[in-house]
Amino acid sequence: ASTRKIALVTGASSGIGAEFALQIESKYYLDEIWMVARRDAPMKELAEKFLKSRAVILTLDLTNRSDLLALERRLAEEKPEVQFLVNNAGYGKYGPFAELGLEEQIKMIELNVSAPTYLTRIAIPYMKPGASVTGSPSAAGVGKLSAEAPQTMRTPSLKKSVSPKVTSTWSRCPRSYIDRRHSLSITSPETNVS
């Protein structure tokens, strides 16, 4: 039996994460799209739009260590080929640092920094040359951009220091741009190797 090819998309219950899942499903022939979020109802609704790939709905809280371990175990048991990892889950709170609750700030760090780091590390063993790791920090409300078009930073240092087989792209796209245009551009990992 051949290894199943998958995309793993976090924050897939709405917004940019849901759009990533839809775009990947429509443009690539993957066996499964693993969608991760805390709310399963929106992911079930999204899965109904898939025409080619099987949706795998994983209702997980990425700030919960046991949920991260469950995902790691599932990868180890099923051993799929991860062609896309989209680290999109995240959120941001604005306000004076001293006035934001400490627990809230720790949760933001866990979701916006620790979880993508953990997920990238556990996914790499299941990736082949040309696989893609994408982060979408603007979905987390990290920073404000004045540009009205998507901005992309390529990070060859990740490719060199973590794994020579991974193409990494960190997309920064203001939510207003996504809402206005209702689309994302996803580059094939085969043509995105630099």
Side-chain angles (χ1 to χ4, degrees):
S2 63
T3 303
R4 284 171 297 125
K5 293 175 173 38
I6 71 161
L8 174 57
V9 182
T10 71
S13 60
S14 65
I16 296 172
E19 187 65 27
F20 263 113
L22 279 174
Q23 291 282 335
I24 291 171
E25 199 279 334
S26 72
K27 294 182 182 197
Y28 299 97
Y29 292 95
L30 299 176
D31 298 301
E32 296 174 344
I33 308 289
W34 290 18
M35 298 185 293
V36 177
R38 290 176 298 156
R39 299 175 298 137
D40 65 344
M43 291 188 289
K44 287 177 182 175
E45 196 174 300
L46 180 64
E48 293 175 10
K49 298 178 183 178
F50 288 6
L51 302 175
K52 300 177 295 206
S53 304
R54 178 177 167 267
V56 175
I57 296 169
L58 303 169
T59 308
L60 302 171
D61 180 348
L62 297 177
T63 65
N64 182 319
R65 182 67 172 199
S66 64
D67 283 2
L68 288 169
L69 289 169
L71 181 55
E72 184 174 9
R73 278 191 303 275
R74 184 162 185 162
L75 283 169
E77 289 167 6
E78 298 191 22
K79 295 180 179 36
E81 178 186 331
V82 179
Q83 290 197 337
F84 293 92
L85 169 60
V86 179
N87 285 310
N88 180 71
Y91 72 102
K93 293 281 186 175
Y94 294 100
F97 179 78
E99 294 176 17
L100 294 175
L102 180 59
E103 286 303 313
E104 186 73 29
Q105 292 177 46
I106 298 299
K107 285 287 185 193
M108 280 192 295
I109 292 167
E110 289 172 354
L111 187 58
N112 298 347
V113 180
S114 300
T117 302
Y118 189 96
L119 294 171
T120 302
R121 178 61 187 88
I122 66 171
I124 284 176
Y126 306 100
M127 293 179 161
K128 290 187 175 178
S132 176
V133 176
T134 300
S136 184
S138 64
V142 178
K144 291 186 178 182
L145 298 176
S146 59
E148 286 299 316
Q151 298 181 8
T152 300
M153 297 183 296
R154 298 197 192 282
T155 54
S157 60
L158 176 69
K159 192 161 62 170
K160 290 177 187 166
S161 65
V162 177
S163 174
K165 61 186 173 182
V166 176
T167 297
S168 60
T169 304
W170 290 90
S171 303
R172 296 183 69 182
C173 182
R175 182 171 291 282
S176 62
Y177 184 82
I178 294 297
D179 291 344
R180 195 169 59 246
R181 301 300 284 275
H182 302 293
S183 67
L184 292 172
S185 175
I186 298 175
T187 306
S188 166
E190 291 80 26
T191 59
N192 197 19
V193 177
S194 57

